[in-house]
Structure formats: structure tokens, C-alpha cells
Amino acid sequence: MTALELFLYILCGILVQVALFALLAFKRHWQKYDSLKRRSSEIEESEPNAPMPSWEGFRDFRVVRKCFEDSSRSVCSFHLAPVDAKPLAPFLPGQFLTFRLEVNDPSGKGRVNITRCYSLSDRPGLDHYRISVKRLSTPGCPAGLSSNHLHDNIQEGSILSAKAPSGHFHLKPGSSPVVLIAGGIGVTPLLCMLNASLQSGSKREIWLFYGVRNGAEHVMKAHLEELAARHANFRLRVCYSRPNSSDKIGQDFQHQGHVDLTLLRLNLSPKSYDFYVCGPRAMMETLVPSLHEWGVPSHRIHYEAFGPASLTQSANPPVPEQSSVQAISVTFSKSAKTLIWDNGSASLLDFAEKNGIRVDSGCRAGGCGTCQTPIESGEVEYLHTPDFDVEPGCCLLCSSRPSRDLVLSA
């Protein structure tokens, strides 16, 4: 036998062994795949015909409970059960409901229909939905129309119409530590996130920094304190900016002042936290940029400022500057008006209303979709990512501006 023949025999032996090992590895992987497939089939067979319940358009709900959540009685919760007794649609912690309300016209000319969005303030999996609404009594404030109507006119037994839960501001699954930061009534979606996470048995580290003026406005105080006492992975930090004489630091609240970056740095250890922030505009305009400056990656900062439109562009990706040389025309075809875009307008909805063009609107924050309008030609750019999923060929006037000459079916 020559050296070449011996080499070829050895090579063949090695190739046979490699092939056998490959076949054995494939067999093992196939067995695992087949086992997983059979387990999946068994799960599907154990839950036949279990579609995810939801609904199109508006659905009627009965108020089965109405209760106040703070000692000043400025925040009221409404527990809503479906009139048709069918299953509730599941939702992600932090999402909202869109309501159609019939309220008194501020001009005194009868009744008008308005659309408003309210965050779900309790966890999924219950036999009802819950929203918690703060009364807004600022003169001329559009939001006050709905909150005052709910507080004054909606009682247990009343019927409210709502769309299915929606919204992109919600708690992401996982095990990474979470920091919830709330200002005032902005605590509502974060309460939903907190309740859902703790009820699930998750051991992920979760913080709530909650700022209010004083104890009279402290929403669900007993509930939050009970959660903090019962769950070792939940840390509660309450800030009063203007405490009353009866408010005791260390007992009712832990910090006098506002929730700010200094407070966060004093309490949080160096970890990769996911931040969820919801509060009034002044808080958002300082805190969200501060998180960026602290080095928190953008994908770990999630925020909602009572509807994203109320957060100014300093905390949003910058909107490209429009040319000061070439004017942009906006045509409202149904109204037979062609106008030159005014850069001083906050949005296309604002621009339309300034020029006497009537457009149905609701939340004015990109959440409800009431102002969705077909684009006949041209393009728009968004001031922020809308919560409402816009249909192709349309835009939300409340959240967009023209990027070039535009024709709208309005």
C-alpha cells in the first residue's frame, strides 16, 4: 500500500466520522424541535377557538363604581364594565381608552360631542376597566370640558362609550430594572404598569418617583404605601413641592421639592434602567433632556406628557427647519382655501383653526385619530410619533406640519 492510498483511507475514515457526528447532532436537534412542536399543539388544542376579544368603533360601558382617590377629591376613578357582558379586550399596561362624550357647549348653544383619551389606571386581567380623571377647572381649558363633565354628570349606572385600548406608551416585558417617574395625574398609566408588574409576581426592580404639591393631591396614597410594604423589589419615593403644615416628611413624603435628576442620581445605582416618564409639560421639558444628558440611551427613555403633543420640541427629535425662501402652500380642498403655511402654527390643526376651517378633533395629541385627514398630494412631517396608527394616505393634523406644498381633503 502506497503512502497516498494510506492517506486516502485515513481521510475517508475522518469524513465518515464527521458525517456520523453531524447526523447524530441533527437527530438530537430534530427530537427537540419535534417535542416543542407537540407541546405547542397540545397548548393550542387545550384552548380551542380562543380569539383575542376586541371591538371596532365605540362600545358602551356602564359605570359600576365611582370613587375619589385623593383627599381634595380632585381625582375620581370610574370603574367600567361592558354593557354587552362580552369579554374585555386585553391591553398593555400604560395604554388608554378613547371616549366619545356629549357635553354642554361652552358657548351655551346646547350640546356638543367631544373625543378625549384617558389612561387605564389599573392592571389588565380584571373584569372591568378603570380610568382616573383629575378635574381641570382652568377657564378656557378644553380638557376641562370632559373632566368637569365626568366629575359632575357621570354617576354609577351612567353609560360611557369608548374605543378599544390603544397607545404606544406601555411597559415593555423583560427583567431589566424599571424607573417610573410621575408628576400629578401623570401617575395614572404608571399605576397601571406598577400594578401589572407586581401582580404578575415579577421580581424585577421597580422604582416610582411621584411628585405632587402636597398631601391633599396625593393620589392612592394608602395603596402605594401598601405595595411598597408588601413588595421588597418596589421602592417608592414621593416628593411634595408645597407641603401643608400637616404633611410629615419621612412619613407622608420622602423629599421636599420636585422630581429632578439630582434626586434620581442620589437614589439609583449604576444600572441599565428603563425610564417611563409621565407628567405636566414643565416637568417633561426639564427631566427628559436631563436623562439624555445623564447618558441614558434614547431607547430606554419612554415618555408621555398628557399626550405627547404637550411636550415641546426641546425634548423631541428636532423638526427640520423649513425654507425661509420658498413658501409652502396648504390647500384645504373641501373648504376651497389655499393658504401660505405659517411657521408660527403649532400644527396643521392649529393652522386650520386659525383660518376658520372646521376640523373634527379630540385629544389634540395624536392619540384618538379624530383629526385624521386624507392627503391628496404633498407630504407632512410629524412633531412626534402618534399613538394612533394612521391609515395610509392620511395624516393626523394635530401632530403634523407640511414638509412641502400640501393638499388636504378638509
Side-chain angles (χ1 to χ4, degrees):
M1 179 181 294
T2 66
L4 178 60
E5 289 175 333
L6 178 61
F7 172 77
L8 291 175
Y9 276 121
I10 295 173
L11 182 60
C12 288
I14 293 173
L15 291 175
V16 169
Q17 288 182 341
V18 171
L20 288 173
F21 278 119
L23 286 172
L24 182 61
F26 176 79
K27 182 179 179 182
R28 288 175 178 171
H29 283 292
W30 178 262
Q31 288 174 338
K32 289 181 180 179
Y33 168 77
D34 188 59
S35 175
L36 288 171
K37 185 177 180 181
R38 282 187 279 105
R39 287 172 60 190
S40 177
S41 297
E42 291 171 359
I43 292 173
E44 290 177 358
E45 290 173 1
S46 68
E47 295 182 349
N49 302 319
M52 182 176 290
S54 189
W55 66 90
E56 296 293 332
F58 286 90
R59 182 180 179 187
D60 286 341
F61 289 83
R62 179 172 285 107
V63 178
V64 294
R65 186 182 177 209
K66 176 182 178 181
C67 58
F68 289 97
E69 305 289 7
D70 59 342
S71 60
S72 67
R73 298 172 70 86
S74 64
V75 175
C76 185
S77 285
F78 300 84
H79 298 242
L80 310 172
V83 171
D84 58 19
K86 294 180 180 179
L88 293 173
F91 63 93
L92 299 172
Q95 291 188 306
F96 58 81
L97 295 175
T98 301
F99 291 86
R100 181 176 58 200
L101 304 170
E102 186 181 18
V103 303
N104 291 324
D105 190 331
S107 65
K109 299 177 181 178
R111 308 275 284 176
V112 294
N113 289 318
I114 61 173
T115 304
R116 293 292 185 270
C117 301
Y118 289 104
S119 297
L120 289 152
S121 61
D122 206 353
R123 64 177 179 85
L126 302 173
D127 62 356
H128 63 275
Y129 291 141
R130 185 183 74 184
I131 60 170
S132 302
V133 181
K134 180 178 178 63
R135 181 192 289 274
L136 299 177
S137 55
T138 305
C141 176
L145 291 176
S146 56
S147 66
N148 290 336
H149 170 74
L150 290 169
H151 275 248
D152 296 336
N153 301 318
I154 300 302
Q155 308 300 331
E156 293 181 0
S158 297
I159 304 297
L160 293 173
S161 296
K163 290 183 178 181
S166 61
H168 298 151
F169 180 70
H170 53 77
L171 183 65
K172 306 297 187 292
S175 58
S176 59
V178 170
V179 178
L180 309 176
I181 304 175
I185 194 58
V187 75
T188 51
L190 306 186
L191 273 169
C192 184
M193 296 180 188
L194 176 64
N195 289 345
S197 182
L198 296 180
Q199 189 277 335
S200 72
S202 170
K203 298 304 180 184
R204 71 194 301 186
E205 179 183 339
I206 186 165
W207 292 75
L208 173 61
F209 293 87
Y210 177 31
V212 292
R213 282 186 289 192
N214 50 57
E217 299 180 1
H218 193 156
V219 174
M220 300 187 195
K221 182 174 186 289
H223 173 69
L224 290 172
E225 291 174 348
E226 189 270 335
L227 289 179
R230 186 152 50 95
H231 297 275
N233 59 315
F234 170 46
R235 286 82 180 266
L236 176 65
R237 298 291 183 271
V238 178
C239 304
Y240 287 0
S241 60
R242 303 176 192 172
N244 294 320
S245 58
S246 59
D247 295 328
K248 295 180 172 59
I249 192 166
Q251 178 178 324
D252 299 304
F253 63 105
Q254 289 75 46
H255 175 75
Q256 182 169 346
H258 296 91
V259 180
D260 56 20
L261 185 59
T262 300
L263 180 64
L264 299 180
R265 297 180 71 165
L266 287 173
N267 283 272
L268 300 176
S269 57
K271 295 180 182 178
S272 296
Y273 293 96
D274 283 306
F275 291 82
Y276 294 83
V277 192
C278 186
R281 184 174 64 186
M283 182 182 108
M284 304 298 292
E285 288 180 344
T286 57
L287 192 54
V288 172
S290 294
L291 290 174
H292 285 293
E293 293 169 5
W294 193 22
V296 180
S298 295
H299 70 275
R300 291 194 176 276
I301 304 175
H302 317 276
Y303 59 84
E304 186 171 60
F306 298 164
S310 61
L311 182 57
T312 62
Q313 294 176 23
S314 61
N316 282 300
V319 176
E321 291 187 7
Q322 295 174 355
S323 172
S324 58
V325 177
Q326 183 177 359
I328 294 177
S329 70
V330 180
T331 299
F332 297 90
S333 60
K334 290 184 178 179
S335 303
K337 287 188 177 182
T338 298
L339 306 162
I340 299 301
W341 168 252
D342 171 16
N343 274 325
S345 296
S347 65
L348 279 164
L349 177 60
D350 180 44
F351 180 68
E353 291 175 341
K354 284 181 179 178
N355 289 280
I357 298 167
R358 186 183 180 281
V359 177
D360 290 335
S361 64
C363 68
R364 308 180 73 88
C368 69
T370 304
C371 66
Q372 178 172 261
T373 302
I375 299 175
E376 296 181 10
S377 67
E379 295 178 354
V380 301
E381 57 195 12
Y382 281 94
L383 308 175
H384 58 84
T385 302
D387 278 317
F388 182 82
D389 294 321
V390 186
E391 295 178 6
C394 296
C395 69
L396 296 183
L397 300 188
C398 68
S399 309
S400 61
R401 297 157 58 100
S403 56
R404 61 186 181 89
D405 289 350
L406 185 66
V407 179
L408 298 168
S409 181

